[in-house]
Amino acid sequence: MDNRNYDFGLVGLGVMGRNFILNVADNNFKAFGYDLDPEKVEALKTEGGDLDKVSASTEIRTFVDSLTLPRKIMLLVPAGKIVDQAIESLLPYLDKEDIIIDGGNSFFTDTDRREAYLKEKGIHFFGSGVSGGAEGARKGPSIMPGGDKAAYEHVRPIFEAVSAKYKGEPCVAYLGPKSAGNYVKMVHNGIEYAMMQLTSEIYDLLKKSCDLSNEALHQVYSKWNEGRLQSFLVEITAEIFTQKDELTAADLVDMILDKAKQKGTGKWTSQNAMDLGIPVPTIDMAVSMREISALKDERVQADKLYSRPEVTDKPKEELIAQAEQALYFSFIIAYAQGLHQLMYASKDYGYDLDMATIAKIWRAGCIIRAGLLADIAEAYTADNSIPNLLLSPSFVPKVQGTLPAVREVVAYAAQNGIPVPGLSSALSYFDAYTSTKLPLNLIQAQRDHFGSHTYERTDREGIFHTEWGGKQ
C-alpha cells in the first residue's frame, strides 16, 4: 500500500522541531516527523491529534517512505557532527532530486561543504536559518533560506505559510546561493548578542543609579516598548521583571546567577567579521562580556581588591529619558554593524544579498524583530547599495538627535564605575566611523619603524618606507 502522502518531513522532534511541524500541519500541509526517541514521537502524535495531518516514527524507512516526491526533509538538530550523521542516515533511502534542508545554526562553511557533497549524489541541499525560538516555531518564525533556488521553490509554499507575517507579508524570502541563509542567520544572532548586552547594561545602569525596583523597571521597559524601542527583546525584558520565583519569595530575575552562556553563533559572527576586515565591536563586546561573566569567582575576588566610586545622584526621570535615547542609538549601531558585515560578505562569498529583503523578513517572528526594522527596510529600499546604515540620509537625524544623551550616559557610567562596555563600544565605533582623520597614521609610522612595513602618504600616491632615527 502506498503511504507516500505527506508533504513535508522533519528530523528532530525536540521542542523546536515539534512546534515547527505542528505549525506546518496547522497550515494544511501533511507533515511527518522522525526521531530516535520514542517519547518525542509520541509527544508529537499526542499534540497533533489529527493523525491524517501529522504523524511520526522512530523508523527511518517508515519516515522516508511516507513523503511525497521529491521528498522535502528538514533537519532541526544541533549544529555540527549530528547534522552530518542525520544526512548519512537518510541517504540510503533517498532518491535523486530529493531535498534536505538544514534548519539549524550550522556554520556557513559546513553548509557549503554539505551542498557540494550531496550535489554529487543528486540530492538538493540548502541551509535555512529559523529564528523565533520555540514559540516562533509554533506560531510563525522568521525563516532565512539560501542555496539551491530551484529546490527552495518546492518548499516555498510551506515556508511562506508557516512563517510570521508583517502586515500580511511572509517573513521568509530566498536570500541567495550557497550558504547565504545560514550566514544571514549567523549575523542575525550576532546582532541579537549585541542587543541583549545593551538591554542588560541599561537595566544595570538604572538599577544601580536610580535604585529602581523591578516593578519600576517593568514600567520603564513597558513604556519604551510602546514607542520607538518597540521590539521583542524590550517586550520580554519588561515581562521578566514581573516573574516571581517559585522557590523563594523573591523576583526571579534577582535569583538568576550572572553567568551567561553561549552556543557559538555570536563568536562566529565576530571571527568572520575579522576575516572580512569589517568592524563589529559592539557584537565583539557582547561575546566578550559573556566570557567575562563566566569568570564569576575571579570577579568576586577582584571586587574585594579594588574600590569603586560612590554612585552620584542624578535626577531619575532625566536619566531614564537619556537611557532610552542611549538604547535606541545603540540598537541602531548593532544593526548597522551586522548589516555592514552582510554587505561585505555578500560581495566576498557571492551571495548577492538584498539588504531590504533581509530587514523585511526580520520585522516579525525573529528574536531581533523591532519597529526600527521597518525604517531600516525603507532605507535599503531607497538605496540597496548603502555600505553602512549610518550613511543613509534617513538615519542621520535619528542618530544625531540621540548623541548628547548617549555621551552623557557613557560619561556618567564611567565616572560611577558602572560597566557599559557595549554602549561605550557603540559610541566609540560611531565616533571612529564618522571621523575623517584617525590617529592610525602613527600606527603606520610605528609599523614601518620596527618592521619596515611601509606606509602611504597624504600628499602623493605610492608606497613608502623610511629609515627611522634620523637616517636618510
Side-chain angles (χ1 to χ4, degrees):
M1 185 169 66
D2 188 3
N3 294 321
R4 212 182 293 279
N5 57 3
Y6 285 86
D7 306 302
F8 183 80
L10 192 140
V11 175
L13 299 179
V15 176
M16 188 82 172
R18 192 160 67 245
N19 281 357
F20 192 92
I21 199 170
L22 289 170
N23 186 358
V24 172
D26 285 345
N27 283 278
N28 297 314
F29 293 96
K30 299 185 72 174
F32 203 99
Y34 167 72
D35 201 291
L36 293 172
D37 186 342
E39 291 185 4
K40 291 179 180 177
V41 168
E42 289 306 312
L44 174 62
K45 290 182 176 181
T46 300
E47 290 184 48
D50 182 359
L51 297 185
D52 288 334
K53 194 181 294 183
V54 61
S55 190
S57 176
T58 58
E59 298 294 329
I60 194 164
R61 180 176 287 278
T62 300
F63 167 69
V64 173
D65 287 348
S66 298
L67 303 175
T68 58
L69 300 177
R71 298 179 181 90
K72 298 169 282 294
I73 300 173
M74 186 169 185
L75 312 179
L76 273 176
V77 298
K81 292 182 179 179
I82 295 178
V83 176
D84 294 307
Q85 292 168 356
I87 290 170
E88 292 302 323
S89 68
L90 287 166
L91 277 178
Y93 308 101
L94 298 183
D95 296 319
K96 289 187 176 181
E97 304 302 322
D98 284 346
I99 302 163
I100 299 177
I101 308 143
D102 182 6
N105 286 326
S106 289
F107 191 53
F108 70 100
T109 56
D110 288 338
T111 299
D112 290 331
R113 169 179 58 80
R114 290 166 184 145
E115 182 185 34
Y117 169 68
L118 289 171
K119 187 175 183 179
E120 293 178 353
K121 300 179 180 299
I123 305 297
H124 299 287
F125 177 84
F126 65 88
S128 183
V130 179
S131 178
E135 184 177 356
R138 188 71 179 87
K139 298 179 181 179
S142 172
I143 309 177
M144 295 156 252
D148 188 325
K149 190 172 185 179
Y152 172 68
E153 284 300 311
H154 288 281
V155 186
R156 181 173 58 81
I158 298 174
F159 277 12
E160 289 184 351
V162 304
S163 69
K165 307 296 185 295
Y166 180 86
K167 296 183 178 179
E169 293 183 49
C171 289
V172 57
Y174 175 79
L175 296 178
K178 302 186 295 184
S179 52
N182 282 125
Y183 192 93
V184 170
K185 177 57 163 55
M186 178 187 77
V187 174
H188 163 286
N189 286 18
I191 296 170
E192 176 185 313
Y193 270 55
M195 292 175 70
M196 292 173 74
Q197 175 63 30
L198 294 162
T199 307
S200 72
E201 288 179 10
I202 295 297
Y203 148 70
D204 193 41
L205 178 76
L206 293 178
K207 195 171 184 69
K208 288 177 176 175
S209 59
C210 301
D211 196 27
L212 294 185
S213 67
N214 290 326
E215 175 56 33
L217 287 163
H218 163 71
Q219 296 296 334
V220 168
Y221 277 82
S222 295
K223 183 178 179 181
W224 286 352
N225 193 52
E226 295 172 358
R228 62 183 179 176
L229 278 173
Q230 184 278 318
S231 59
F232 174 72
L233 287 171
V234 171
E235 177 186 339
I236 66 168
T237 301
E239 183 180 306
I240 285 168
F241 293 125
T242 66
Q243 184 70 43
K244 295 297 180 182
D245 179 24
E246 294 180 355
L247 303 178
T248 70
D251 294 332
L252 180 56
V253 68
D254 295 329
M255 304 307 296
I256 297 175
L257 188 64
D258 58 331
K259 289 172 64 174
K261 298 181 180 180
Q262 54 184 316
K263 291 187 176 180
T265 47
K267 178 181 71 175
W268 293 345
T269 304
S270 290
Q271 289 173 331
N272 184 251
M274 291 183 184
D275 291 339
L276 292 171
I278 297 301
V280 291
T282 309
I283 296 173
D284 297 340
M285 185 52 71
V287 175
S288 293
M289 282 304 293
R290 295 199 188 190
E291 293 166 344
I292 290 175
S293 79
L295 305 175
K296 178 69 173 181
D297 293 341
E298 294 177 36
R299 289 191 288 118
V300 171
Q301 183 180 357
D303 192 22
K304 296 174 182 177
L305 298 176
Y306 297 94
S307 61
R308 192 177 299 275
E310 291 291 328
V311 177
T312 57
D313 290 335
K314 188 175 178 68
K316 182 170 65 176
E317 294 305 320
E318 179 184 348
L319 184 57
I320 290 173
Q322 291 175 338
E324 186 271 345
Q325 295 182 70
L327 191 56
Y328 181 69
F329 164 84
S330 57
F331 273 11
I332 291 174
I333 296 298
Y335 284 120
Q337 290 177 11
L339 292 165
H340 195 200
Q341 180 171 345
L342 286 175
M343 180 69 77
Y344 276 78
S346 180
K347 297 173 184 175
D348 274 34
Y349 303 138
Y351 292 148
D352 194 25
L353 298 174
D354 184 283
M355 309 306 290
T357 296
I358 293 170
K360 287 178 180 178
I361 66 173
W362 286 349
R363 290 177 300 180
C366 68
I367 303 302
I368 65 170
R369 62 184 183 265
L372 186 57
L373 280 162
D375 297 332
I376 294 173
E378 288 181 9
Y380 281 105
T381 298
D383 184 356
N384 195 54
S385 65
I386 303 170
N388 192 304
L389 193 62
L390 292 174
L391 298 176
S392 169
S394 64
F395 269 80
V396 172
K398 297 180 192 300
V399 173
Q400 195 72 46
T402 65
L403 285 171
V406 175
R407 297 189 191 285
E408 194 160 337
V409 167
V410 170
Y412 174 80
Q415 290 166 352
N416 288 277
I418 301 172
V420 288
L423 181 57
S424 298
S425 74
L427 180 58
S428 293
Y429 168 85
F430 170 83
D431 284 337
Y433 187 79
T434 57
S435 292
T436 298
K437 186 168 177 58
L438 293 171
L440 281 295
N441 55 319
L442 179 59
I443 290 177
Q444 283 301 89
Q446 292 168 335
R447 293 179 72 245
D448 192 58
H449 191 296
F450 66 69
S452 300
H453 292 297
T454 72
Y455 56 87
E456 296 173 86
R457 295 180 60 92
T458 60
D459 59 348
R460 65 199 67 193
E461 296 293 323
I463 303 298
F464 298 85
H465 166 63
T466 292
E467 291 297 324
W468 297 87
K471 298 176 183 177
Q472 298 299 318

